[in-house]
Amino acid sequence: MRTPGGVPTAHVDPFIRTQLPPRELWPALDYSAPHLRHYPDRMNACVELLDAAVESGAGERPVFHYEDVTWSFRHLLDRVQRIARVLVQDFGLVPGERVLLRSANTPMVAACWLAVARAGGVVVNTMPLLRARELGYIIAKAEVRIALCEQSLAEELAQAQIANPELRHVAYFTPTGGAPAGEADLDRRLEAKSAGCGYVPTAADDPVLVSFTSGTTGNPKGAAHFHRDILAITECWPRVYTLEPHDVVVGSPTLAFTYGLCASLLFPLRWRVPAVLVHRPTPQAMLAAIERWRVTSLYSVPTLYQTMLENARDHDLSSLRKCTSAGENLRVKLWEQWRDATGVRTVNGLGCTEMLTHFVSESLQVACVGSMGHAVPGFRVAILDDGGQPLPPGRRGRLAVRGPTGCRYIGDPQRQASFVRDGWNLTGDVCERDADGCFWYVDRADDMIVSAGYNISPQEVERAVAEHPSVAACAVVGMPNEARGSVVCACVVLRDPREATPETASKIQDFVKATLAPYKYPREVRFIAELPRTATGKIQRFRLRDS
């Protein structure tokens, strides 16, 4: 089998490639920018990022700070090579096979990500908050046989494995890989392997990552990305939100988010700067990390900026030179409050899982506060009407983007066809562009709820709420919230209206928390007599939001 680039694939297991959408449904991929023209037809993302860093002289420089531990680039390479040996020699990984990763932000999960890529596998990132049922769907959708999991997160994955016996091998690790013998088998296994390891010479267009993202309907979508994509994104947004040799970066998003993956792993590797990994990114933990490690560059989301404000003046944040916000639109008031507390002008921007990274961003100078800035070098961004025609400045429409990355959902041609139109990636955002070329966020074009930087599918929450024995019917909408942008609100019709009490609402919330990742639970529960519907039976969500 030949790849889109024209060279034979290195994948022995062709599953992901066979699940890619038909080529006519792919977006237009554009590598014409000068900084994107040099990629060969064969490349391995691990080698291009990590081995290249060591070979360039960065071997003894720090790559990760984690609690009281610091890893160098050379030590990371050693861990990666040994884990790759474990995957191939102990678990029989073949190129193209999927490996699920489950962990908070730790040095070991970063090493596992790179090891899978090195061995020619396909990383399946999962968020640490996911429950067994959610993990089970991903395992089945991606046909995962191997998983590497942080030991403290074993319970939900173990339950998922019982329901999904195709997951045959699960190895557990500790955050820095230093567990006593027998306590975490991946730690033990890698120490038994010899140092050094080759790599699979993957095609540039061989898949290396499937990142699952929630949509507005149905189950999560798996977005596939290639080795070439991983390299390309390290050359685009960092030209705007820069990384300099003296920088120390920290990010609050999990590496399971593409935003977190870029901020805490891919960008630091490419630009040879250290990243501080924070296991549980609470406001206090993030502020303490900035102070302790003299962080110069912060990647976060508006909700965390809001909560960090309360204690920002109690910490020495004088090292901060750059801050950026994504995940939801940054309000001007919050921008001003953070600037007043730290002296730093936060860079706003927009990216998405399907594109891997930012394609719109303000400059470091933040010349137009409140906007999302301009198109990132390497990307073309437009505002389109419902017919797919470009709109002039000042007109609101659908945000569309083309560049070196793009949407390729696995096994889901219907959703693919709705995201990609005429070569454009349609992000689902309603925006407008001003006369100076700055893009301004307006709202979501669909029913997606964006809360505290998380994309939450209303239908997924509805299904969970509906399983509660007291619930007759349910519709979920996003309601505006000052601190979180939006919150999940469940509008519930009870089987017995007499149960419409705060106690019942609390029970429904706890029920959902036990079923789905906690960030998805409805923070508001409203009891109503019936759901408003159209003549054809569709729920009129706008009436629920306006009530």
Side-chain angles (χ1 to χ4, degrees):
M1 183 182 296
R2 303 185 76 82
T3 70
V7 300
T9 177
H11 284 185
V12 176
D13 183 329
F15 175 75
I16 292 297
R17 184 162 296 286
T18 63
Q19 293 296 299
L20 293 174
R23 285 304 302 272
E24 62 268 20
L25 295 182
W26 284 30
L29 298 174
D30 183 2
Y31 284 85
S32 63
H35 57 285
L36 299 173
R37 295 174 183 167
H38 61 284
Y39 295 125
D41 289 333
R42 288 203 176 276
M43 63 167 65
N44 183 293
C46 172
V47 176
E48 296 293 331
L49 292 172
L50 180 55
D51 295 55
V54 174
E55 291 169 3
S56 71
E60 306 312 317
R61 292 168 58 180
V63 62
F64 298 131
H65 298 300
Y66 178 84
E67 297 181 352
D68 295 323
V69 174
T70 294
W71 279 21
S72 69
F73 280 85
R74 193 177 305 281
H75 181 72
L76 173 60
L77 178 58
D78 176 78
R79 301 292 90 178
V80 168
Q81 292 172 330
R82 292 172 187 262
I83 295 169
R85 287 186 179 276
V86 171
L87 290 169
V88 175
Q89 297 173 1
D90 295 9
F91 303 143
L93 177 76
V94 299
E97 196 169 7
R98 284 70 59 209
V99 180
L100 183 144
L101 302 184
R102 175 171 170 79
S103 175
N105 284 3
T106 67
M108 272 294 285
V109 76
C112 289
W113 198 103
L114 294 164
V116 175
R118 187 179 197 86
V122 179
V123 177
V124 178
N125 279 344
T126 62
M127 290 182 292
L129 291 176
L130 294 185
R131 301 298 194 188
R133 183 166 73 176
E134 297 160 308
L135 291 168
Y137 172 80
I138 292 172
I139 291 166
K141 181 71 174 179
E143 294 195 1
V144 175
R145 189 178 63 91
I146 303 169
L148 307 178
C149 178
E150 186 183 342
Q151 191 173 41
S152 64
L153 298 172
E155 183 178 357
E156 295 290 337
L157 184 59
Q159 292 181 30
Q161 187 178 20
I162 293 172
N164 297 270
E166 64 269 31
L167 179 60
R168 294 181 55 193
H169 301 286
V170 179
Y172 295 100
F173 57 84
T174 54
T176 58
E183 290 192 10
D185 60 324
L186 183 59
D187 294 11
R188 185 180 70 253
R189 288 174 184 271
L190 72 88
E191 292 297 346
K193 299 301 179 184
S194 58
C197 177
Y199 65 91
V200 173
T202 43
D205 294 319
D206 275 333
V208 67
L209 170 67
V210 174
S211 189
F212 279 84
T213 177
S214 295
T216 57
T217 59
N219 289 308
K221 306 177 291 290
H225 298 289
F226 300 165
H227 286 264
R228 187 195 306 268
D229 303 337
I230 299 299
L231 270 294
I233 60 172
T234 69
E235 299 284 354
C236 293
W237 187 36
R239 292 176 177 268
V240 180
Y241 188 77
T242 58
L243 290 94
E244 308 296 337
H246 63 274
D247 276 330
V248 178
V249 307
V250 68
S252 62
T254 168
L255 269 72
F257 278 164
T258 53
Y259 180 30
L261 179 68
C262 292
S264 296
L265 179 61
L266 303 182
F267 293 169
L269 288 178
R270 167 62 183 86
W271 297 92
R272 315 326 189 216
V273 301
V276 179
L277 301 180
V278 180
H279 191 272
R280 187 167 177 264
T282 63
Q284 286 285 18
M286 292 297 293
L287 292 168
I290 294 168
E291 181 175 24
R292 177 180 181 182
W293 297 107
R294 307 302 295 161
V295 167
T296 63
S297 182
L298 169 62
Y299 298 79
S300 195
V301 297
T303 300
L304 196 61
Y305 281 112
Q306 184 73 62
T307 53
M308 284 192 293
L309 274 173
E310 299 177 11
N311 301 106
R313 298 186 188 278
D314 297 331
H315 292 266
D316 180 4
L317 307 182
S318 60
S319 62
L320 271 181
R321 296 290 180 268
K322 293 172 284 192
C323 296
T324 187
S325 176
E328 59 189 282
N329 198 44
L330 180 65
R331 294 174 290 108
V332 173
K333 181 180 178 182
L334 178 55
W335 186 95
E336 293 172 341
Q337 290 172 326
W338 185 256
R339 179 203 56 192
D340 293 343
T342 65
V344 180
R345 301 167 66 87
T346 304
V347 172
N348 192 26
L350 180 67
C352 62
T353 300
E354 291 85 355
M355 304 300 295
L356 261 180
T357 187
H358 280 52
F359 47 84
V360 176
S361 177
E362 291 179 313
S363 67
L364 288 175
Q365 291 72 35
V366 191
C368 195
V369 177
S371 79
M372 298 185 299
H374 294 81
V376 166
F379 291 92
R380 291 174 55 204
V381 183
I383 305 296
L384 306 181
D385 64 17
D386 290 340
Q389 297 302 308
L391 289 170
R395 296 280 302 278
R396 293 181 176 182
R398 304 187 70 178
L399 190 68
V401 58
R402 293 182 179 182
T405 59
C407 177
R408 287 163 299 221
Y409 291 140
I410 62 168
D412 205 336
Q414 183 176 357
R415 284 172 162 178
Q416 178 74 18
S418 67
F419 198 97
V420 177
R421 302 277 181 86
D422 298 323
W424 290 99
N425 297 274
L426 302 179
T427 67
D429 299 293
V430 176
C431 301
E432 65 180 69
R433 184 182 59 209
D434 64 23
D436 295 324
C438 283
F439 290 88
W440 296 79
Y441 180 83
V442 178
D443 207 341
R444 289 291 299 178
D446 51 28
D447 291 323
M448 174 77 75
I449 301 170
V450 182
S451 180
Y454 291 103
N455 287 346
I456 301 171
S457 166
Q459 283 75 14
E460 184 182 28
V461 182
E462 286 173 4
R463 289 196 298 269
V465 173
E467 291 178 6
H468 191 279
S470 296
V471 175
C474 172
V476 169
V477 296
M479 300 298 290
N481 180 270
E482 182 72 11
R484 306 180 71 84
S486 296
V487 294
V488 177
C489 175
C491 302
V492 174
V493 178
L494 291 171
R495 297 184 185 279
D496 184 350
R498 293 172 298 180
E499 294 183 357
T501 64
E503 290 76 16
T504 300
S506 181
K507 289 178 181 178
I508 291 172
Q509 290 172 321
D510 291 341
F511 181 81
V512 176
K513 287 181 185 178
T515 305
L516 302 177
Y519 69 84
K520 299 178 183 178
Y521 88 94
R523 292 177 179 268
E524 292 182 22
V525 176
R526 298 181 180 179
F527 297 115
I528 58 178
E530 62 180 3
L531 296 177
R533 297 181 183 274
T534 66
T536 58
K538 294 181 179 180
I539 297 173
Q540 295 176 308
R541 297 179 188 275
F542 71 93
R543 291 178 58 186
L544 295 172
R545 283 190 287 262
D546 294 342
S547 63

